[in-house]
Amino acid sequence: MQITRRTLMSGAIALAGGMMIPRIAWTNASLDLTEGTLDTLSDGHLALPRSFVLADVPQPQADEVLAQFGIAPDAETLRPDCNLTLWRDGDRVVLFDAGSGPDFMPTAGKVMAALDALGLSAEDVTDVVFTHGHPDHLWGVLDDFDEPLFAQAQHHMGRIEYEYWSDPTLTETIAPERVTFAVGAARRLAVLADTIKLFDDGDTVLPGVTARATYGHTPGHMAFEVGSGAEAVLILGDCIANHHLAFAHPDWANGSDQDPDVGAATRIRMLADLAERQTVFAGFHLPHPGIGRAVRAGEGYDYVPLE
């Protein structure tokens, strides 16, 4: 299984004398599998307070790991990439998650330009499959008029996740710093309600796409297996949310997980299985393009990008 990396141009700017120069360059990575083509598309990146990721991990221990990845002890902000996955199989164009859209962070919400660089539009997307309901995965579903951006698409979300974010009492029980997440998710899911198809762990969401429960980051977080056999690729979402602490110490709490204990148990199980089977995976917040494998390294693991 080999990855193809390309730099794609999105449109052009006309200069005096008729000269045209590329407007925006987007990096793209593709895996051509027997059953279809998997692409990862950049939605930009986030800017997160260091404390949001580190949770209760003692700073000296965290700094020791982060220093190996060029992250200075005094760095107050972490900037994880955002990689959406696109799966094309016959007539289906399946987008896993919808990105941030314009209302979350100015550094994210860029996936439409990445689709354009591939020669695709929102109308070409036949299915949008959500890993979970956090802003950087869900908020990109609406256009400027609060209508579904992917107007021709069937939307799919795990039943537990949908019921959690649709609960009208959630704002009373969720952590105060996440109330905005709850309000934003509820508004978007209400618009999409007639187009959402629910599924459970182990279900075949679409032909060649199987749901795998990976709870903890959110109550109903799902990963997805696409393809089959030796060519199977696991789309992780945020169950393994970075390439440093999550791999080196999967048992450490991650501040972005809504249930840190369940999230850690999921990481421990997932990384052991991924490393043993040498399964290729696509991670939403791994360094772009986010496709790689996990390899045992002492008591933890290393993230090894696919070459």
Side-chain angles (χ1 to χ4, degrees):
M1 190 182 296
Q2 291 184 323
I3 191 170
T4 301
R5 301 171 188 258
R6 295 173 291 175
T7 299
L8 305 170
M9 303 303 174
S10 177
I13 299 173
L15 300 180
M19 180 181 295
M20 305 290 288
I21 63 172
R23 184 172 63 211
I24 304 174
W26 293 93
T27 57
N28 165 261
S30 295
L31 288 176
D32 291 320
L33 309 178
T34 302
E35 298 177 28
T37 300
L38 184 146
D39 296 86
T40 56
L41 310 174
S42 175
D43 194 47
H45 69 274
L46 301 183
L48 299 176
R50 180 187 176 100
S51 59
F52 187 74
V53 176
L54 298 189
D56 296 327
V57 177
Q59 184 165 345
Q61 293 178 327
D63 286 345
E64 183 179 352
V65 176
L66 294 174
Q68 302 172 32
F69 296 87
I71 301 173
D74 58 353
E76 297 181 357
T77 304
L78 300 180
R79 294 178 171 81
D81 290 331
C82 298
N83 308 302
L84 276 70
T85 302
L86 187 76
W87 174 246
R88 288 177 283 179
D89 175 11
D91 295 331
R92 289 192 181 276
V93 178
V94 183
L95 186 64
F96 290 88
D97 293 326
S100 294
D103 298 330
F104 186 47
M105 290 188 183
T107 56
K110 318 297 184 185
V111 72
M112 290 311 301
L115 283 171
D116 178 65
L118 281 177
L120 297 171
S121 69
E123 289 73 22
D124 293 319
V125 176
T126 62
D127 298 88
V128 180
V129 182
F130 298 108
T131 60
H132 64 295
H134 277 171
D136 49 330
H137 298 255
L138 174 63
W139 284 18
V141 293
L142 302 184
D143 63 18
D144 294 339
F145 303 97
D146 276 356
E147 296 293 334
L149 175 61
F150 304 101
Q152 307 303 314
Q154 174 77 62
H155 295 74
H156 308 259
M157 181 175 270
R159 189 180 312 277
I160 294 173
E161 190 74 359
Y162 179 81
E163 291 175 351
Y164 175 77
W165 294 108
S166 299
D167 182 351
T169 68
L170 180 58
T171 56
E172 302 169 13
T173 58
I174 199 169
E177 65 272 15
R178 296 176 187 259
V179 168
T180 302
F181 291 12
V183 173
R187 181 169 75 83
R188 287 161 176 83
L189 292 177
V191 174
L192 296 176
D194 292 339
T195 73
I196 291 183
K197 185 175 181 180
L198 304 181
F199 58 85
D200 297 299
D201 178 33
D203 284 354
T204 298
V205 180
L206 294 164
V209 178
T210 304
R212 303 296 186 202
T214 47
Y215 306 149
H217 184 69
T218 58
H221 187 286
M222 289 284 182
F224 301 95
E225 185 177 310
V226 300
S228 61
E231 288 191 334
V233 178
L234 196 66
I235 298 168
L236 297 178
D238 285 3
C239 60
I240 302 173
N242 60 64
H243 65 297
H244 35 74
L245 298 179
F247 281 81
H249 294 279
D251 57 318
W252 286 2
N254 185 317
S256 68
D257 289 344
Q258 289 184 222
D259 189 324
D261 291 338
V262 175
T266 293
R267 276 192 303 280
I268 292 168
R269 171 177 56 83
M270 291 287 294
L271 282 167
D273 185 69
L274 291 169
E276 179 181 353
R277 298 174 183 271
Q278 279 298 283
T279 302
V280 173
F281 51 78
F284 194 93
H285 290 306
L286 301 181
H288 186 75
I291 301 175
R293 290 187 171 96
V295 176
R296 270 280 185 187
E299 296 299 314
Y301 302 86
D302 285 334
Y303 167 60
V304 181
L306 193 65
E307 298 297 336

